[in-house]
PDB file of all heavy atoms in Angstrom:
ATOM      1  N   GLY V  92      11.192  23.496 -15.715  1.00  0.00           N
ATOM      2  CA  GLY V  92      10.617  24.711 -16.284  1.00  0.00           C
ATOM      3  C   GLY V  92       9.490  25.398 -15.557  1.00  0.00           C
ATOM      4  O   GLY V  92       8.827  26.253 -16.137  1.00  0.00           O
ATOM      5  N   ALA V  93       9.257  25.049 -14.316  1.00  0.00           N
ATOM      6  CA  ALA V  93       8.209  25.770 -13.569  1.00  0.00           C
ATOM      7  C   ALA V  93       8.419  25.581 -12.069  1.00  0.00           C
ATOM      8  O   ALA V  93       9.280  24.804 -11.637  1.00  0.00           O
ATOM      9  CB  ALA V  93       6.823  25.289 -13.978  1.00  0.00           C
ATOM     10  N   HIS V  94       7.611  26.320 -11.310  1.00  0.00           N
ATOM     11  CA  HIS V  94       7.695  26.231  -9.841  1.00  0.00           C
ATOM     12  C   HIS V  94       7.234  24.879  -9.313  1.00  0.00           C
ATOM     13  O   HIS V  94       7.509  24.525  -8.177  1.00  0.00           O
ATOM     14  CB  HIS V  94       6.825  27.319  -9.217  1.00  0.00           C
ATOM     15  CG  HIS V  94       5.353  27.110  -9.456  1.00  0.00           C
ATOM     16  ND1 HIS V  94       4.779  27.192 -10.706  1.00  0.00           N
ATOM     17  CD2 HIS V  94       4.345  26.779  -8.617  1.00  0.00           C
ATOM     18  CE1 HIS V  94       3.482  26.943 -10.614  1.00  0.00           C
ATOM     19  NE2 HIS V  94       3.187  26.691  -9.367  1.00  0.00           N
ATOM     20  N   LYS V  95       6.515  24.108 -10.129  1.00  0.00           N
ATOM     21  CA  LYS V  95       5.867  22.887  -9.656  1.00  0.00           C
ATOM     22  C   LYS V  95       6.847  21.915  -8.996  1.00  0.00           C
ATOM     23  O   LYS V  95       6.481  21.165  -8.100  1.00  0.00           O
ATOM     24  CB  LYS V  95       5.143  22.194 -10.810  1.00  0.00           C
ATOM     25  CG  LYS V  95       4.021  23.018 -11.443  1.00  0.00           C
ATOM     26  CD  LYS V  95       2.793  23.086 -10.566  1.00  0.00           C
ATOM     27  CE  LYS V  95       1.648  23.858 -11.223  1.00  0.00           C
ATOM     28  NZ  LYS V  95       0.496  24.033 -10.320  1.00  0.00           N
ATOM     29  N   THR V 118      -2.807  16.729 -13.559  1.00  0.00           N
ATOM     30  CA  THR V 118      -2.091  17.869 -14.124  1.00  0.00           C
ATOM     31  C   THR V 118      -2.973  18.621 -15.104  1.00  0.00           C
ATOM     32  O   THR V 118      -3.858  18.035 -15.723  1.00  0.00           O
ATOM     33  CB  THR V 118      -0.763  17.430 -14.781  1.00  0.00           C
ATOM     34  OG1 THR V 118       0.062  18.577 -14.985  1.00  0.00           O
ATOM     35  CG2 THR V 118      -0.984  16.729 -16.107  1.00  0.00           C
ATOM     36  N   GLY V 119      -2.725  19.920 -15.216  1.00  0.00           N
ATOM     37  CA  GLY V 119      -3.484  20.748 -16.151  1.00  0.00           C
ATOM     38  C   GLY V 119      -2.580  21.085 -17.318  1.00  0.00           C
ATOM     39  O   GLY V 119      -2.653  20.491 -18.396  1.00  0.00           O
ATOM     40  N   ALA V 120      -1.659  21.998 -17.080  1.00  0.00           N
ATOM     41  CA  ALA V 120      -0.707  22.391 -18.121  1.00  0.00           C
ATOM     42  C   ALA V 120       0.307  21.292 -18.395  1.00  0.00           C
ATOM     43  O   ALA V 120       1.041  21.340 -19.371  1.00  0.00           O
ATOM     44  CB  ALA V 120       0.013  23.664 -17.701  1.00  0.00           C
ATOM     45  N   GLY V 121       0.359  20.321 -17.514  1.00  0.00           N
ATOM     46  CA  GLY V 121       1.334  19.254 -17.685  1.00  0.00           C
ATOM     47  C   GLY V 121       2.622  19.532 -16.929  1.00  0.00           C
ATOM     48  O   GLY V 121       3.475  18.659 -16.806  1.00  0.00           O
ATOM     49  N   GLN V 122       2.785  20.753 -16.402  1.00  0.00           N
ATOM     50  CA  GLN V 122       4.019  21.075 -15.677  1.00  0.00           C
ATOM     51  C   GLN V 122       4.109  20.287 -14.382  1.00  0.00           C
ATOM     52  O   GLN V 122       5.171  19.799 -14.018  1.00  0.00           O
ATOM     53  CB  GLN V 122       4.089  22.580 -15.377  1.00  0.00           C
ATOM     54  CG  GLN V 122       4.394  23.431 -16.578  1.00  0.00           C
ATOM     55  CD  GLN V 122       5.711  23.079 -17.237  1.00  0.00           C
ATOM     56  OE1 GLN V 122       5.765  22.865 -18.433  1.00  0.00           O
ATOM     57  NE2 GLN V 122       6.792  23.002 -16.472  1.00  0.00           N
ATOM     58  N   HIS V 123       2.975  20.186 -13.689  1.00  0.00           N
ATOM     59  CA  HIS V 123       2.989  19.395 -12.460  1.00  0.00           C
ATOM     60  C   HIS V 123       3.170  17.914 -12.781  1.00  0.00           C
ATOM     61  O   HIS V 123       3.876  17.199 -12.077  1.00  0.00           O
ATOM     62  CB  HIS V 123       1.716  19.624 -11.642  1.00  0.00           C
ATOM     63  CG  HIS V 123       1.642  18.738 -10.440  1.00  0.00           C
ATOM     64  ND1 HIS V 123       2.596  18.783  -9.451  1.00  0.00           N
ATOM     65  CD2 HIS V 123       0.772  17.752 -10.092  1.00  0.00           C
ATOM     66  CE1 HIS V 123       2.303  17.869  -8.530  1.00  0.00           C
ATOM     67  NE2 HIS V 123       1.213  17.231  -8.897  1.00  0.00           N
ATOM     68  N   GLY V 124       2.547  17.469 -13.867  1.00  0.00           N
ATOM     69  CA  GLY V 124       2.706  16.077 -14.282  1.00  0.00           C
ATOM     70  C   GLY V 124       4.166  15.775 -14.607  1.00  0.00           C
ATOM     71  O   GLY V 124       4.712  14.753 -14.190  1.00  0.00           O
ATOM     72  N   GLN V 150      -1.356  20.595 -24.578  1.00  0.00           N
ATOM     73  CA  GLN V 150      -0.040  20.648 -23.947  1.00  0.00           C
ATOM     74  C   GLN V 150       0.779  19.414 -24.328  1.00  0.00           C
ATOM     75  O   GLN V 150       1.440  18.787 -23.496  1.00  0.00           O
ATOM     76  CB  GLN V 150      -0.189  20.755 -22.424  1.00  0.00           C
ATOM     77  CG  GLN V 150      -1.057  21.931 -21.990  1.00  0.00           C
ATOM     78  CD  GLN V 150      -0.338  23.269 -21.950  1.00  0.00           C
ATOM     79  OE1 GLN V 150      -0.093  23.824 -20.915  1.00  0.00           O
ATOM     80  NE2 GLN V 150       0.006  23.815 -23.103  1.00  0.00           N
ATOM     81  N   ASN V 153       4.408  18.399 -23.100  1.00  0.00           N
ATOM     82  CA  ASN V 153       4.536  17.886 -21.731  1.00  0.00           C
ATOM     83  C   ASN V 153       4.081  16.435 -21.607  1.00  0.00           C
ATOM     84  O   ASN V 153       4.595  15.690 -20.776  1.00  0.00           O
ATOM     85  CB  ASN V 153       3.766  18.773 -20.752  1.00  0.00           C
ATOM     86  CG  ASN V 153       4.595  19.990 -20.354  1.00  0.00           C
ATOM     87  OD1 ASN V 153       5.814  19.994 -20.551  1.00  0.00           O
ATOM     88  ND2 ASN V 153       3.944  20.991 -19.797  1.00  0.00           N
ATOM     89  N   LEU V 174      -8.498  20.302 -15.920  1.00  0.00           N
ATOM     90  CA  LEU V 174      -7.854  20.072 -14.633  1.00  0.00           C
ATOM     91  C   LEU V 174      -8.793  19.548 -13.537  1.00  0.00           C
ATOM     92  O   LEU V 174      -8.441  18.648 -12.775  1.00  0.00           O
ATOM     93  CB  LEU V 174      -7.189  21.385 -14.183  1.00  0.00           C
ATOM     94  CG  LEU V 174      -6.424  21.394 -12.885  1.00  0.00           C
ATOM     95  CD1 LEU V 174      -5.382  20.287 -12.818  1.00  0.00           C
ATOM     96  CD2 LEU V 174      -5.733  22.754 -12.697  1.00  0.00           C
ATOM     97  N   GLY V 197      -0.904  18.975  -7.016  1.00  0.00           N
ATOM     98  CA  GLY V 197      -0.005  19.942  -7.622  1.00  0.00           C
ATOM     99  C   GLY V 197      -0.239  21.381  -7.254  1.00  0.00           C
ATOM    100  O   GLY V 197       0.486  22.264  -7.703  1.00  0.00           O
ATOM    101  N   SER V 198      -1.255  21.644  -6.455  1.00  0.00           N
ATOM    102  CA  SER V 198      -1.466  23.033  -6.082  1.00  0.00           C
ATOM    103  C   SER V 198      -1.915  23.104  -4.629  1.00  0.00           C
ATOM    104  O   SER V 198      -1.996  22.074  -3.951  1.00  0.00           O
ATOM    105  CB  SER V 198      -2.474  23.694  -7.020  1.00  0.00           C
ATOM    106  OG  SER V 198      -2.465  25.093  -6.819  1.00  0.00           O
ATOM    107  N   VAL V 199      -2.230  24.322  -4.160  1.00  0.00           N
ATOM    108  CA  VAL V 199      -2.609  24.477  -2.752  1.00  0.00           C
ATOM    109  C   VAL V 199      -4.103  24.211  -2.574  1.00  0.00           C
ATOM    110  O   VAL V 199      -4.818  24.989  -1.955  1.00  0.00           O
ATOM    111  CB  VAL V 199      -2.226  25.874  -2.221  1.00  0.00           C
ATOM    112  CG1 VAL V 199      -0.732  25.947  -1.973  1.00  0.00           C
ATOM    113  CG2 VAL V 199      -2.654  26.975  -3.197  1.00  0.00           C
ATOM    114  N   VAL V 200      -4.564  23.119  -3.158  1.00  0.00           N
ATOM    115  CA  VAL V 200      -5.965  22.724  -3.067  1.00  0.00           C
ATOM    116  C   VAL V 200      -6.043  21.350  -2.414  1.00  0.00           C
ATOM    117  O   VAL V 200      -5.020  20.789  -2.026  1.00  0.00           O
ATOM    118  CB  VAL V 200      -6.625  22.688  -4.467  1.00  0.00           C
ATOM    119  CG1 VAL V 200      -6.529  24.050  -5.136  1.00  0.00           C
ATOM    120  CG2 VAL V 200      -5.978  21.624  -5.346  1.00  0.00           C
ATOM    121  N   VAL V 209       1.634  22.040   0.618  1.00  0.00           N
ATOM    122  CA  VAL V 209       2.140  22.535  -0.669  1.00  0.00           C
ATOM    123  C   VAL V 209       2.627  23.977  -0.511  1.00  0.00           C
ATOM    124  O   VAL V 209       3.659  24.358  -1.068  1.00  0.00           O
ATOM    125  CB  VAL V 209       1.061  22.399  -1.769  1.00  0.00           C
ATOM    126  CG1 VAL V 209       1.553  22.992  -3.088  1.00  0.00           C
ATOM    127  CG2 VAL V 209       0.668  20.932  -1.959  1.00  0.00           C
ATOM    128  N   GLN V 213       6.302  25.494  -1.418  1.00  0.00           N
ATOM    129  CA  GLN V 213       6.483  26.595  -2.382  1.00  0.00           C
ATOM    130  C   GLN V 213       6.995  27.865  -1.719  1.00  0.00           C
ATOM    131  O   GLN V 213       7.415  28.802  -2.412  1.00  0.00           O
ATOM    132  CB  GLN V 213       5.155  26.882  -3.115  1.00  0.00           C
ATOM    133  CG  GLN V 213       4.684  25.761  -4.052  1.00  0.00           C
ATOM    134  CD  GLN V 213       5.601  25.552  -5.255  1.00  0.00           C
ATOM    135  OE1 GLN V 213       6.601  26.252  -5.444  1.00  0.00           O
ATOM    136  NE2 GLN V 213       5.266  24.563  -6.081  1.00  0.00           N
ATOM    137  N   ALA V 238       1.392  37.460  -8.840  1.00  0.00           N
ATOM    138  CA  ALA V 238       1.491  36.092  -9.356  1.00  0.00           C
ATOM    139  C   ALA V 238       0.164  35.690  -9.980  1.00  0.00           C
ATOM    140  O   ALA V 238      -0.887  36.255  -9.637  1.00  0.00           O
ATOM    141  CB  ALA V 238       1.842  35.122  -8.230  1.00  0.00           C
ATOM    142  N   CYS V 239       0.215  34.715 -10.874  1.00  0.00           N
ATOM    143  CA  CYS V 239      -1.019  34.181 -11.437  1.00  0.00           C
ATOM    144  C   CYS V 239      -1.577  33.116 -10.496  1.00  0.00           C
ATOM    145  O   CYS V 239      -0.849  32.557  -9.679  1.00  0.00           O
ATOM    146  CB  CYS V 239      -0.770  33.581 -12.818  1.00  0.00           C
ATOM    147  SG  CYS V 239       0.268  32.094 -12.804  1.00  0.00           S
ATOM    148  N   VAL V 240      -2.892  32.874 -10.610  1.00  0.00           N
ATOM    149  CA  VAL V 240      -3.543  31.892  -9.741  1.00  0.00           C
ATOM    150  C   VAL V 240      -4.388  30.922 -10.534  1.00  0.00           C
ATOM    151  O   VAL V 240      -5.336  31.317 -11.222  1.00  0.00           O
ATOM    152  CB  VAL V 240      -4.496  32.582  -8.725  1.00  0.00           C
ATOM    153  CG1 VAL V 240      -5.177  31.544  -7.846  1.00  0.00           C
ATOM    154  CG2 VAL V 240      -3.740  33.556  -7.869  1.00  0.00           C
ATOM    155  N   GLY V 241      -4.030  29.644 -10.452  1.00  0.00           N
ATOM    156  CA  GLY V 241      -4.923  28.593 -10.926  1.00  0.00           C
ATOM    157  C   GLY V 241      -5.530  28.019  -9.667  1.00  0.00           C
ATOM    158  O   GLY V 241      -6.544  28.482  -9.161  1.00  0.00           O
ATOM    159  N   GLY V 242      -4.873  27.009  -9.089  1.00  0.00           N
ATOM    160  CA  GLY V 242      -5.200  26.591  -7.724  1.00  0.00           C
ATOM    161  C   GLY V 242      -4.524  27.537  -6.740  1.00  0.00           C
ATOM    162  O   GLY V 242      -5.011  27.779  -5.646  1.00  0.00           O
ATOM    163  N   GLY V 243      -3.372  28.064  -7.144  1.00  0.00           N
ATOM    164  CA  GLY V 243      -2.741  29.114  -6.361  1.00  0.00           C
ATOM    165  C   GLY V 243      -1.408  28.787  -5.720  1.00  0.00           C
ATOM    166  O   GLY V 243      -0.986  29.484  -4.801  1.00  0.00           O
ATOM    167  N   SER V 244      -0.675  27.770  -6.227  1.00  0.00           N
ATOM    168  CA  SER V 244       0.544  27.391  -5.504  1.00  0.00           C
ATOM    169  C   SER V 244       1.720  28.332  -5.752  1.00  0.00           C
ATOM    170  O   SER V 244       2.478  28.633  -4.831  1.00  0.00           O
ATOM    171  CB  SER V 244       0.937  25.950  -5.811  1.00  0.00           C
ATOM    172  OG  SER V 244       1.313  25.779  -7.154  1.00  0.00           O
ATOM    173  N   ASN V 245       1.886  28.828  -7.001  1.00  0.00           N
ATOM    174  CA  ASN V 245       3.013  29.749  -7.181  1.00  0.00           C
ATOM    175  C   ASN V 245       2.714  31.061  -6.471  1.00  0.00           C
ATOM    176  O   ASN V 245       3.604  31.690  -5.901  1.00  0.00           O
ATOM    177  CB  ASN V 245       3.383  29.902  -8.670  1.00  0.00           C
ATOM    178  CG  ASN V 245       2.628  30.991  -9.403  1.00  0.00           C
ATOM    179  OD1 ASN V 245       3.041  32.133  -9.416  1.00  0.00           O
ATOM    180  ND2 ASN V 245       1.496  30.646 -10.006  1.00  0.00           N
ATOM    181  N   ALA V 246       1.424  31.447  -6.460  1.00  0.00           N
ATOM    182  CA  ALA V 246       1.059  32.692  -5.778  1.00  0.00           C
ATOM    183  C   ALA V 246       1.280  32.579  -4.271  1.00  0.00           C
ATOM    184  O   ALA V 246       1.867  33.468  -3.651  1.00  0.00           O
ATOM    185  CB  ALA V 246      -0.396  33.056  -6.085  1.00  0.00           C
ATOM    186  N   ILE V 247       0.867  31.474  -3.674  1.00  0.00           N
ATOM    187  CA  ILE V 247       1.083  31.324  -2.224  1.00  0.00           C
ATOM    188  C   ILE V 247       2.583  31.299  -1.932  1.00  0.00           C
ATOM    189  O   ILE V 247       3.048  31.929  -0.987  1.00  0.00           O
ATOM    190  CB  ILE V 247       0.412  30.046  -1.667  1.00  0.00           C
ATOM    191  CG1 ILE V 247      -1.096  30.224  -1.574  1.00  0.00           C
ATOM    192  CG2 ILE V 247       0.986  29.674  -0.296  1.00  0.00           C
ATOM    193  CD1 ILE V 247      -1.583  31.227  -0.558  1.00  0.00           C
ATOM    194  N   SER V 310      -5.300  28.989 -20.881  1.00  0.00           N
ATOM    195  CA  SER V 310      -4.187  28.452 -20.121  1.00  0.00           C
ATOM    196  C   SER V 310      -4.644  27.238 -19.322  1.00  0.00           C
ATOM    197  O   SER V 310      -5.463  27.351 -18.411  1.00  0.00           O
ATOM    198  CB  SER V 310      -3.672  29.552 -19.185  1.00  0.00           C
ATOM    199  OG  SER V 310      -3.257  28.998 -17.981  1.00  0.00           O
ATOM    200  N   ALA V 311      -4.110  26.077 -19.673  1.00  0.00           N
ATOM    201  CA  ALA V 311      -4.558  24.836 -19.034  1.00  0.00           C
ATOM    202  C   ALA V 311      -4.309  24.850 -17.530  1.00  0.00           C
ATOM    203  O   ALA V 311      -5.071  24.293 -16.757  1.00  0.00           O
ATOM    204  CB  ALA V 311      -3.842  23.644 -19.665  1.00  0.00           C
ATOM    205  N   GLY V 312      -3.252  25.528 -17.109  1.00  0.00           N
ATOM    206  CA  GLY V 312      -2.916  25.530 -15.690  1.00  0.00           C
ATOM    207  C   GLY V 312      -3.805  26.432 -14.851  1.00  0.00           C
ATOM    208  O   GLY V 312      -3.812  26.337 -13.627  1.00  0.00           O
ATOM    209  N   LEU V 313      -4.532  27.332 -15.500  1.00  0.00           N
ATOM    210  CA  LEU V 313      -5.424  28.237 -14.748  1.00  0.00           C
ATOM    211  C   LEU V 313      -6.889  27.880 -14.968  1.00  0.00           C
ATOM    212  O   LEU V 313      -7.777  28.538 -14.432  1.00  0.00           O
ATOM    213  CB  LEU V 313      -5.186  29.698 -15.171  1.00  0.00           C
ATOM    214  CG  LEU V 313      -3.741  30.220 -15.111  1.00  0.00           C
ATOM    215  CD1 LEU V 313      -3.696  31.707 -15.465  1.00  0.00           C
ATOM    216  CD2 LEU V 313      -3.103  29.992 -13.746  1.00  0.00           C
ATOM    217  N   ASP V 314      -7.128  26.837 -15.748  1.00  0.00           N
ATOM    218  CA  ASP V 314      -8.481  26.473 -16.162  1.00  0.00           C
ATOM    219  C   ASP V 314      -9.142  25.616 -15.080  1.00  0.00           C
ATOM    220  O   ASP V 314      -9.353  24.418 -15.260  1.00  0.00           O
ATOM    221  CB  ASP V 314      -8.362  25.703 -17.492  1.00  0.00           C
ATOM    222  CG  ASP V 314      -9.685  25.567 -18.203  1.00  0.00           C
ATOM    223  OD1 ASP V 314     -10.710  25.970 -17.633  1.00  0.00           O
ATOM    224  OD2 ASP V 314      -9.695  25.031 -19.333  1.00  0.00           O
ATOM    225  N   HIS V 322      -6.197  31.094  -0.342  1.00  0.00           N
ATOM    226  CA  HIS V 322      -6.526  32.228  -1.212  1.00  0.00           C
ATOM    227  C   HIS V 322      -7.926  32.758  -0.915  1.00  0.00           C
ATOM    228  O   HIS V 322      -8.142  33.973  -0.929  1.00  0.00           O
ATOM    229  CB  HIS V 322      -6.440  31.812  -2.685  1.00  0.00           C
ATOM    230  CG  HIS V 322      -5.044  31.731  -3.193  1.00  0.00           C
ATOM    231  ND1 HIS V 322      -4.254  32.832  -3.377  1.00  0.00           N
ATOM    232  CD2 HIS V 322      -4.272  30.662  -3.523  1.00  0.00           C
ATOM    233  CE1 HIS V 322      -3.064  32.458  -3.828  1.00  0.00           C
ATOM    234  NE2 HIS V 322      -3.051  31.141  -3.920  1.00  0.00           N
ATOM    235  N   PRO V 356       7.360  33.429 -21.551  1.00  0.00           N
ATOM    236  CA  PRO V 356       6.739  32.879 -20.338  1.00  0.00           C
ATOM    237  C   PRO V 356       5.677  31.838 -20.673  1.00  0.00           C
ATOM    238  O   PRO V 356       5.098  31.851 -21.760  1.00  0.00           O
ATOM    239  CB  PRO V 356       6.076  34.107 -19.708  1.00  0.00           C
ATOM    240  CG  PRO V 356       5.649  34.925 -20.890  1.00  0.00           C
ATOM    241  CD  PRO V 356       6.696  34.684 -21.970  1.00  0.00           C
ATOM    242  N   ALA V 357       5.406  30.951 -19.732  1.00  0.00           N
ATOM    243  CA  ALA V 357       4.223  30.092 -19.835  1.00  0.00           C
ATOM    244  C   ALA V 357       3.000  31.000 -19.932  1.00  0.00           C
ATOM    245  O   ALA V 357       3.004  32.110 -19.376  1.00  0.00           O
ATOM    246  CB  ALA V 357       4.115  29.202 -18.606  1.00  0.00           C
ATOM    247  N   ILE V 358       1.947  30.536 -20.611  1.00  0.00           N
ATOM    248  CA  ILE V 358       0.746  31.385 -20.727  1.00  0.00           C
ATOM    249  C   ILE V 358       0.155  31.652 -19.330  1.00  0.00           C
ATOM    250  O   ILE V 358      -0.400  32.717 -19.080  1.00  0.00           O
ATOM    251  CB  ILE V 358      -0.300  30.748 -21.671  1.00  0.00           C
ATOM    252  CG1 ILE V 358       0.283  30.661 -23.088  1.00  0.00           C
ATOM    253  CG2 ILE V 358      -1.583  31.574 -21.694  1.00  0.00           C
ATOM    254  CD1 ILE V 358      -0.670  30.046 -24.112  1.00  0.00           C
ATOM    255  N   GLU V 359       0.318  30.685 -18.415  1.00  0.00           N
ATOM    256  CA  GLU V 359      -0.137  30.907 -17.035  1.00  0.00           C
ATOM    257  C   GLU V 359       0.543  32.159 -16.481  1.00  0.00           C
ATOM    258  O   GLU V 359      -0.111  33.117 -16.065  1.00  0.00           O
ATOM    259  CB  GLU V 359       0.219  29.703 -16.145  1.00  0.00           C
ATOM    260  CG  GLU V 359      -0.610  28.448 -16.378  1.00  0.00           C
ATOM    261  CD  GLU V 359      -0.203  27.697 -17.643  1.00  0.00           C
ATOM    262  OE1 GLU V 359       0.916  27.929 -18.152  1.00  0.00           O
ATOM    263  OE2 GLU V 359      -1.013  26.878 -18.141  1.00  0.00           O
ATOM    264  N   SER V 360       1.871  32.147 -16.510  1.00  0.00           N
ATOM    265  CA  SER V 360       2.645  33.256 -15.947  1.00  0.00           C
ATOM    266  C   SER V 360       2.354  34.570 -16.668  1.00  0.00           C
ATOM    267  O   SER V 360       2.370  35.646 -16.053  1.00  0.00           O
ATOM    268  CB  SER V 360       4.139  32.962 -16.045  1.00  0.00           C
ATOM    269  OG  SER V 360       4.409  31.588 -15.841  1.00  0.00           O
ATOM    270  N   CYS V 381       6.093  36.905 -10.111  1.00  0.00           N
ATOM    271  CA  CYS V 381       6.515  35.508 -10.162  1.00  0.00           C
ATOM    272  C   CYS V 381       6.388  34.996 -11.590  1.00  0.00           C
ATOM    273  O   CYS V 381       5.291  34.915 -12.139  1.00  0.00           O
ATOM    274  CB  CYS V 381       5.672  34.639  -9.217  1.00  0.00           C
ATOM    275  SG  CYS V 381       6.310  32.954  -9.127  1.00  0.00           S
ATOM    276  N   LEU V 382       7.533  34.685 -12.177  1.00  0.00           N
ATOM    277  CA  LEU V 382       7.538  34.083 -13.515  1.00  0.00           C
ATOM    278  C   LEU V 382       7.510  32.568 -13.280  1.00  0.00           C
ATOM    279  O   LEU V 382       8.548  31.921 -13.190  1.00  0.00           O
ATOM    280  CB  LEU V 382       8.799  34.550 -14.258  1.00  0.00           C
ATOM    281  CG  LEU V 382       9.059  33.997 -15.656  1.00  0.00           C
ATOM    282  CD1 LEU V 382       7.823  34.001 -16.523  1.00  0.00           C
ATOM    283  CD2 LEU V 382      10.157  34.791 -16.323  1.00  0.00           C
ATOM    284  N   SER V 383       6.278  32.063 -13.147  1.00  0.00           N
ATOM    285  CA  SER V 383       6.116  30.706 -12.617  1.00  0.00           C
ATOM    286  C   SER V 383       6.620  29.608 -13.548  1.00  0.00           C
ATOM    287  O   SER V 383       6.964  28.520 -13.099  1.00  0.00           O
ATOM    288  CB  SER V 383       4.655  30.457 -12.254  1.00  0.00           C
ATOM    289  OG  SER V 383       3.821  30.672 -13.369  1.00  0.00           O
ATOM    290  N   GLY V 384       6.669  29.896 -14.859  1.00  0.00           N
ATOM    291  CA  GLY V 384       7.131  28.840 -15.754  1.00  0.00           C
ATOM    292  C   GLY V 384       7.484  29.359 -17.133  1.00  0.00           C
ATOM    293  O   GLY V 384       7.127  30.478 -17.508  1.00  0.00           O
ATOM    294  N   ARG V 385       8.196  28.533 -17.880  1.00  0.00           N
ATOM    295  CA  ARG V 385       8.595  28.965 -19.215  1.00  0.00           C
ATOM    296  C   ARG V 385       7.613  28.484 -20.277  1.00  0.00           C
ATOM    297  O   ARG V 385       6.834  27.563 -20.064  1.00  0.00           O
ATOM    298  CB  ARG V 385      10.019  28.536 -19.524  1.00  0.00           C
ATOM    299  CG  ARG V 385      10.302  27.065 -19.413  1.00  0.00           C
ATOM    300  CD  ARG V 385      11.788  26.824 -19.765  1.00  0.00           C
ATOM    301  NE  ARG V 385      12.130  25.433 -19.680  1.00  0.00           N
ATOM    302  CZ  ARG V 385      13.027  24.920 -18.827  1.00  0.00           C
ATOM    303  NH1 ARG V 385      13.620  25.689 -17.942  1.00  0.00           N
ATOM    304  NH2 ARG V 385      13.304  23.636 -18.846  1.00  0.00           N
ATOM    305  N   LYS V 388       6.233  24.870 -23.636  1.00  0.00           N
ATOM    306  CA  LYS V 388       5.047  24.020 -23.805  1.00  0.00           C
ATOM    307  C   LYS V 388       3.926  24.744 -24.555  1.00  0.00           C
ATOM    308  O   LYS V 388       3.000  24.114 -25.050  1.00  0.00           O
ATOM    309  CB  LYS V 388       4.535  23.575 -22.436  1.00  0.00           C
ATOM    310  CG  LYS V 388       3.931  24.737 -21.634  1.00  0.00           C
ATOM    311  CD  LYS V 388       3.519  24.346 -20.233  1.00  0.00           C
ATOM    312  CE  LYS V 388       2.974  25.521 -19.433  1.00  0.00           C
ATOM    313  NZ  LYS V 388       1.790  26.175 -19.998  1.00  0.00           N
ATOM    314  N   ASP V 389       4.000  26.077 -24.606  1.00  0.00           N
ATOM    315  CA  ASP V 389       2.915  26.873 -25.181  1.00  0.00           C
ATOM    316  C   ASP V 389       3.218  27.419 -26.563  1.00  0.00           C
ATOM    317  O   ASP V 389       2.434  28.195 -27.115  1.00  0.00           O
ATOM    318  CB  ASP V 389       2.592  28.058 -24.253  1.00  0.00           C
ATOM    319  CG  ASP V 389       2.005  27.587 -22.936  1.00  0.00           C
ATOM    320  OD1 ASP V 389       1.138  26.699 -22.972  1.00  0.00           O
ATOM    321  OD2 ASP V 389       2.421  28.112 -21.883  1.00  0.00           O
TER     322      ASP V 389
HETATM  323  C1  PLP N  13       3.810  27.730 -15.185  1.00  0.00           C
HETATM  324  C2  PLP N  13       2.587  27.583 -14.358  1.00  0.00           C
HETATM  325  N1  PLP N  13       2.171  28.613 -13.629  1.00  0.00           N
HETATM  326  C3  PLP N  13       1.062  28.523 -12.868  1.00  0.00           C
HETATM  327  C4  PLP N  13       0.294  27.388 -12.829  1.00  0.00           C
HETATM  328  C5  PLP N  13      -0.945  27.395 -12.010  1.00  0.00           C
HETATM  329  O1  PLP N  13      -0.871  26.672 -10.829  1.00  0.00           O
HETATM  330  P1  PLP N  13      -0.802  27.395  -9.431  1.00  0.00           P
HETATM  331  O2  PLP N  13      -1.911  28.380  -9.394  1.00  0.00           O
HETATM  332  O3  PLP N  13      -0.965  26.291  -8.455  1.00  0.00           O
HETATM  333  O4  PLP N  13       0.511  28.061  -9.329  1.00  0.00           O
HETATM  334  C6  PLP N  13       0.700  26.272 -13.572  1.00  0.00           C
HETATM  335  C7  PLP N  13      -0.082  25.041 -13.538  1.00  0.00           C
HETATM  336  O5  PLP N  13      -0.007  24.161 -14.304  1.00  0.00           O
HETATM  337  C8  PLP N  13       1.877  26.384 -14.351  1.00  0.00           C
HETATM  338  O6  PLP N  13       2.303  25.356 -15.094  1.00  0.00           O
END
Side-chain angles (χ1 to χ4, degrees):
Chain V
H94 67 293
K95 298 286 182 185
T118 196
Q122 286 301 129
H123 175 60
Q150 305 278 250
N153 277 343
L174 181 53
S198 192
V199 284
V200 301
V209 176
Q213 293 294 358
C239 67
V240 179
S244 66
N245 88 88
I247 285 293
S310 144
L313 307 184
D314 194 354
H322 283 291
I358 296 180
E359 287 76 18
S360 324
C381 187
L382 177 45
S383 57
R385 56 180 180 243
K388 69 185 178 60
D389 293 316

